[in-house]
Amino acid sequence: MKRAGLSRERILDAALDLVDRDGVAALSMRRLGKELGVEAMTLYYYLPNKDAVLDGLVDRTLAGVTVRPEGPWREWARAFAVLFRAALLAHPGLLPLLATRPVATPGGLRTVETAAGALVAEGFSPSEALHVITTLGTFVIGQVLAEAGRTPGHDEPDPEPPVDPARHPVLGAALAAGLGTPEDHQDRFTYALDALLTGLAPR
């Protein structure tokens, strides 16, 4: 039954808050209904099942990464990677979802098709175009997974073991230079992204 004040967007807002706080594993229609103060059955008027909620979260994340695939392809591909990383850092609880759930929503498929079409126009085959998109996506997800540590709903990671500079001089020097700091994560991301984009090309 439709309920005043409830909408698909409000339900997805609540789902995102829940995932941010407790992780994807904690998401259920019953739990989501409790968060919104309604029975789970009420939610089915707006979203038919949990899969639809998960697809909605994926679609919303991709929709927020607004990059027009125009001009030199490496430039807009870089902009996509930068914005995708920012979106995931803002909501690290979505990492398991984005890493394992295929893009299947109309909005997500439209985004992929537009980017793939632009890459084909640059000389990539259709398969290569999808390789580029998938490679960039998995690179960003892996980077953010290392950067954000454990996702919500899991125990905190163990502290890093101490490094003896006498036995591990290279590691010691890297740690002294800021290894593992936010600045280091940014530098690593930029360094790896530069190398990745330079190496990607039509066969």
Side-chain angles (χ1 to χ4, degrees), residues 101-191:
R101 195 167 190 84
V103 176
T105 63
L109 291 173
R110 185 167 54 251
T111 298
V112 171
E113 178 67 24
T114 302
L119 289 169
V120 167
E122 292 284 343
F124 291 90
S125 71
S127 293
E128 288 171 346
L130 270 296
H131 291 339
V132 170
I133 294 167
T134 303
T135 298
L136 283 172
T138 53
F139 160 69
V140 174
I141 290 169
Q143 166 75 20
V144 176
L145 188 60
E147 195 169 346
R150 297 286 183 89
T151 55
H154 293 78
D155 295 332
E156 290 298 314
D158 295 329
E160 293 291 334
V163 172
D164 181 356
R167 296 183 63 185
H168 308 287
V170 176
L171 286 174
L175 286 167
L179 183 70
T181 62
E183 293 77 15
D184 175 62
H185 285 304
Q186 176 64 56
D187 186 56
R188 185 203 318 163
F189 174 76
T190 302
Y191 178 82

Side-chain angles (χ1 to χ4, degrees), residues 5-139:
L6 206 57
S7 66
R8 182 179 185 276
E9 290 307 307
R10 187 181 168 203
I11 293 169
L12 290 176
D13 285 341
L16 184 56
D17 288 343
L18 177 58
V19 168
D20 281 343
R21 189 173 66 247
D22 298 324
V24 172
L27 181 63
S28 69
M29 298 303 273
R30 184 183 298 274
R31 178 77 183 276
L32 193 50
K34 185 177 180 181
E35 293 280 319
L36 290 161
V38 300
E39 294 293 329
M41 290 299 295
T42 306
L43 304 180
Y44 295 119
Y45 182 89
Y46 303 90
L47 293 151
N49 49 44
K50 180 181 173 180
D51 280 342
V53 176
L54 296 176
D55 284 341
L57 291 177
V58 171
D59 208 26
R60 175 179 282 197
T61 303
L62 294 177
V65 184
T66 53
V67 174
R68 289 185 177 276
E70 299 172 350
W73 75 266
R74 286 186 174 90
E75 291 184 11
W76 60 256
R78 173 184 297 280
F80 163 79
V82 169
L83 288 175
F84 191 34
R85 172 174 175 256
L88 290 179
L89 284 174
H91 302 287
L94 291 175
L95 281 166
L97 184 61
L98 271 296
T100 59
R101 195 167 190 84
V103 176
T105 63
L109 291 173
R110 185 167 54 251
T111 298
V112 171
E113 178 67 24
T114 302
L119 289 169
V120 167
E122 292 284 343
F124 291 90
S125 71
S127 293
E128 288 171 346
L130 270 296
H131 291 339
V132 170
I133 294 167
T134 303
T135 298
L136 283 172
T138 53
F139 160 69

